[in-house]
Amino acid sequence: MPASPLVRAALIFAVGLALLTGGLALWRFATPSQPATVSGAVSSSGAALIGGAFELVDQDGTTRTPADFSGRFMLIYFGYSYCPDVCPTSLSVMTQALDLLEESSPESAARIVPVFITIDPERDTVPVMKDYAAHFHPAMVALTGSSEQVAQAAKAYRVFYAKVEDESAGDYLMDHSSFFYLMGPDGNYVAHFAHNAPPDEIAEALQGHVNE
Ligand code: NI
């Protein structure tokens, strides 16, 4: 029995709405780069796509997986120690945000582990990571691994990176996406922040998420 025109119109509308909603969620997920973005800017449908298994080595040579952080929040940043500007700034922002939170709410700050994951494992060996992490938050866990291990971690967090030859320096730089990811005590995605968000705004957002 053919559906009445009204039913058909309603069906077409419903399908269109579903497609639009899905498309919007994907679009928002693919473009979380507005500098004003501080928290809660990713819809839950896109959120499920961020995060997952990794196996890396910290700056003391200890193998680390997400299970090691179970019960605590992870504030994760992907970058590389040879980065001339963005990464050191981002890791300073991360450190300042956690220092501010520590001042206002030490219990909240204690629940968050700052994590730095290199996307340049070729140069970021364990000793290099140890030296580098020492410039930032004392609790920072700095992770590296084989190219495959790093690729897997970056893929889980949907982090883009690529080597860019730098003729003048006879060396190379890394192009990479630059966000902080807040992962919950259950390992699930909670929020992301732009790398250049003001530390006090990040601190405030962290406070809110930790006390949710
Ligand atoms: Ni960088």
Side-chain angles (χ1 to χ4, degrees):
M1 192 185 193
S4 76
L6 192 64
V7 170
R8 278 170 56 195
L11 273 174
I12 288 166
F13 177 75
V15 169
L17 193 66
L19 286 175
L20 184 68
T21 310
L24 271 179
L26 279 176
W27 175 79
R28 291 185 65 184
F29 175 70
T31 55
S33 54
Q34 296 85 344
T37 298
V38 165
S39 67
V42 168
S43 65
S44 53
S45 55
L49 300 171
I50 295 179
F54 63 72
E55 186 178 304
L56 296 162
V57 181
D58 72 16
Q59 68 265 48
D60 295 315
T62 305
T63 298
R64 298 292 204 126
T65 69
D68 296 320
F69 304 91
S70 176
R72 298 177 76 191
F73 288 80
M74 282 190 286
L75 185 59
I76 306 182
Y77 184 78
F78 286 78
Y80 68 115
S81 74
Y82 287 77
C83 184
D85 42 30
V86 174
C87 293
T89 308
S90 303
L91 294 173
S92 294
V93 164
M94 195 186 215
T95 301
Q96 288 169 49
L98 287 172
D99 284 348
L100 286 169
L101 186 57
E102 168 83 34
E103 281 168 28
S104 63
S105 172
E107 319 77 55
S108 300
R111 296 190 60 199
I112 305 174
V113 187
V115 178
F116 171 55
I117 301 180
T118 186
I119 41 80
D120 183 17
E122 200 177 308
R123 289 183 293 195
D124 281 340
T125 58
V126 168
V128 168
M129 291 295 268
K130 191 169 178 79
D131 283 349
Y132 192 64
H135 294 108
F136 304 101
H137 198 281
M140 185 171 284
V141 176
L143 302 174
T144 186
S146 68
S147 298
E148 293 74 21
Q149 288 174 317
V150 165
Q152 208 231 307
K155 190 177 172 202
Y157 285 84
R158 302 176 74 84
V159 168
F160 156 86
Y161 64 100
K163 197 184 267 194
V164 182
E165 297 301 330
D166 183 7
E167 301 287 324
S168 59
D171 214 335
Y172 64 91
L173 297 172
M174 299 297 291
D175 249 356
H176 64 95
S177 43
S178 195
F179 296 100
F180 303 115
Y181 298 104
L182 181 66
M183 308 303 288
D186 54 3
N188 289 329
Y189 168 93
V190 175
H192 72 268
F193 310 95
H195 73 274
N196 53 356
D200 58 333
E201 285 183 22
I202 296 179
E204 197 178 323
L206 290 175
Q207 170 87 76
H209 287 301
V210 167
N211 295 328
E212 252 165 26

